[in-house]
Amino acid sequence: MNQPLIDQALSSWATSLAQTAQSCDDMCGKPSVEGMLTRMVGLTLEASGCQAPIGARCDVVTPAGQKVETEVVGFSGEKLYLMPTSDIRGLVPNSRVIPTSHSSAVNVGPELLGRVIDGRGRPLDGKGPVKTRLLMPLEGREINPLSRTPIREPLDVGVRAINALTSIGRGQRMGLFAGSGVGKSVLLGMMTKYTDADVVVVGLIGERGREVREFVQEILGEEGLQKSVVVAAPADSSPLMRIHGAMQATSIAEYYRDQGKNVLLLMDSLTRFAQAQREISLAIGEPPATKGYPPSVFARLPQLVERAGNGDKGSGSITAFYTVLVEGDDHNDPIADAARAILDGHILLSRQLAESGHYPAIDVEASISRLAPQIMDKEKQIRVQFFRKNYSLYQQNKDLINVGAYQVGSDAEIDFAIQMQPHLMRFMSQDMNQAVSLTESYTQLEQLLNNQLAKKAQTTTPAASPTSVVNR
């Protein structure tokens, strides 16, 4: 026999076999190795006999043949820790665990406008399936910070107190700090309807299920919904579903930003997102660090928030508002503290103002926009400083004034602050069905200060502009 010809034939056969095997893998995928469910404690499932990376999806099959979708959130040795995204009733020991995919993706497309979906992208509005054909990674994509477009353009949110006194830049990330029942949902609804944005993405994360319908039908309304996408993962959803809801809302906003759109992202609330991450971390054994919050919670917050903002050159922007629930009006809460450090400013809603019937209940003293100097000219900055100075001066002496301990004429600046106080309060209040543009807000602020200074000049010295008064 001719040995060289035999060797050549064997080599050719081996190459052909390898190519056929590769083609089968490409067409059908590699066969998944199934495992079995060995333990369940709380919401954490333990599986053995299979391998899957962090973030991969696995189906746990009940004896009745129903599949419970889970995600890999940790591992220890040969054991995988799984967290379910739906109801886990019906699971029994030794149930089959089948790895299904290695990463999570979000269905995106123009078909999402006007729809209300859950944390897995399923429709909640009864309008039929969402027929999208594009996919975005759930975790988003990293953007080089040096390639981000600088924030230089002001954003009109339709709320006078924010437009004039806490000006927001297009692409800025802001926190909306509020306790329960002080009007944050109404303020979010106003910004949804009146903000100058191409697309609005609303993430209702961990809130009461009743509030989802109220927000969509009453606060947002049919008009606001036309240019909006609502992602709802209410409080009775699993912690993993609440996290997915927040990340899915951000991925949808990223898709529209990549299309060159200016997007407004409203997330209610960042606190519920952090609490969901805390539930998962504690369930898989991570030790708590700060008031019951494990370290992974504080690592996860910037990973979510940093995805918003301006994109690369030529793309659009995501201006984001994240509500932070200040429980018991404690502004030193760990989540509130962490949020202030990673956001570009914050708007604080005051319970005292809300209880007095003043809406929106924005506390001007405690609110700040870190990018206001970059988007406002010097003259506007001076007017805002003059407004804040007189508002703060009155608040500092409010108790003395109310009990009659302050005598008019003792201090000219306090007298002027008392004279201005009712006008300042009227300027900061606004009906929820009324929109005030950015230009109107600046004009009304200028008129208010000029009128009050003119009145002061009639009784004291010749009239002066806000610029000269502040400079003195």
Side-chain angles (χ1 to χ4, degrees), residues 77-365:
E78 299 297 322
K79 296 184 296 183
L80 291 181
Y81 295 137
L82 311 176
M83 187 67 64
T85 61
S86 57
D87 190 12
I88 59 176
R89 284 179 291 186
L91 294 182
V92 297
N94 300 323
S95 294
R96 294 166 59 200
V97 179
I98 308 172
T100 58
S101 64
H102 293 294
S103 62
S104 300
V106 178
N107 292 305
V108 295
E111 299 84 1
L112 285 171
L113 283 179
R115 302 303 302 269
V116 182
I117 59 178
D118 67 3
R120 281 188 283 184
R122 300 174 302 184
L124 297 174
D125 50 14
K127 297 180 180 179
V130 183
K131 299 178 181 179
T132 56
R133 288 174 287 181
L134 301 174
L135 292 176
M136 288 281 290
L138 186 66
E139 298 285 347
R141 65 179 181 87
E142 186 177 351
I143 299 179
N144 186 335
L146 294 180
S147 66
R148 286 184 183 265
T149 306
I151 299 174
R152 294 293 181 268
E153 182 184 354
L155 177 70
D156 183 3
V157 299
V159 181
R160 181 169 49 219
I162 298 178
N163 279 342
L165 305 176
T166 316
S167 297
I168 308 299
R170 196 179 293 279
Q172 191 168 345
R173 287 85 51 96
M174 292 289 292
L176 188 60
F177 291 70
S180 56
V182 295
K184 66 177 183 300
S185 296
V186 176
L187 181 57
L188 286 179
M190 292 175 65
M191 289 191 289
T192 303
K193 290 186 288 186
Y194 304 141
T195 297
D196 179 21
D198 300 319
V199 178
V200 179
V201 180
V202 182
L204 302 176
I205 311 301
E207 296 300 316
R208 293 179 286 272
R210 170 186 60 81
E211 292 183 337
V212 175
R213 181 169 184 171
E214 287 182 1
F215 185 89
V216 172
Q217 295 185 350
E218 299 177 15
I219 298 178
L220 187 58
E222 195 62 34
E223 180 184 353
L225 187 59
Q226 293 303 313
K227 66 171 186 177
S228 304
V229 182
V230 179
V231 181
D236 59 347
S237 303
S238 69
L240 190 62
M241 189 56 58
R242 279 174 264 155
I243 287 180
H244 282 187
M247 297 171 67
Q248 179 167 242
T250 308
S251 293
I252 293 171
E254 287 176 322
Y255 160 74
Y256 284 109
R257 178 181 64 187
D258 293 344
Q259 303 300 309
K261 305 288 187 182
N262 292 315
V263 183
L264 175 67
L265 173 62
L266 303 175
M267 191 166 295
D268 185 15
S269 68
L270 193 64
T271 302
R272 303 302 187 200
F273 171 83
Q275 290 173 346
Q277 179 62 36
R278 176 176 64 178
E279 291 179 43
I280 293 174
S281 300
L282 294 177
I284 63 177
E286 185 179 357
T290 307
K291 293 188 177 179
Y293 287 96
S296 63
V297 173
F298 303 102
R300 200 70 183 263
L301 288 176
Q303 290 175 3
L304 178 71
V305 170
E306 283 296 322
R307 293 170 60 182
N310 287 342
D312 302 327
K313 186 177 181 180
S315 63
S317 65
I318 300 176
T319 307
F321 284 84
Y322 300 92
T323 66
V324 179
L325 181 61
V326 185
E327 298 182 357
D329 294 331
D330 178 15
H331 295 281
N332 294 319
D333 176 82
I335 301 303
D337 241 3
R340 272 194 297 267
I342 61 178
L343 293 171
D344 300 325
H346 56 270
I347 297 170
L348 191 144
L349 300 186
S350 165
R351 183 173 301 278
Q352 184 178 5
L353 288 175
E355 290 174 348
S356 65
H358 179 97
Y359 290 101
I362 297 174
D363 186 345
V364 174
E365 282 186 294

Side-chain angles (χ1 to χ4, degrees), residues 49-81:
C50 59
Q51 290 187 349
I54 296 294
R57 300 289 182 90
C58 295
D59 285 338
V60 183
V61 185
T62 67
Q66 296 178 338
K67 294 181 179 180
V68 176
E69 187 180 81
T70 64
E71 182 176 309
V72 180
V73 295
F75 59 85
S76 176
E78 299 297 322
K79 296 184 296 183
L80 291 181
Y81 295 137

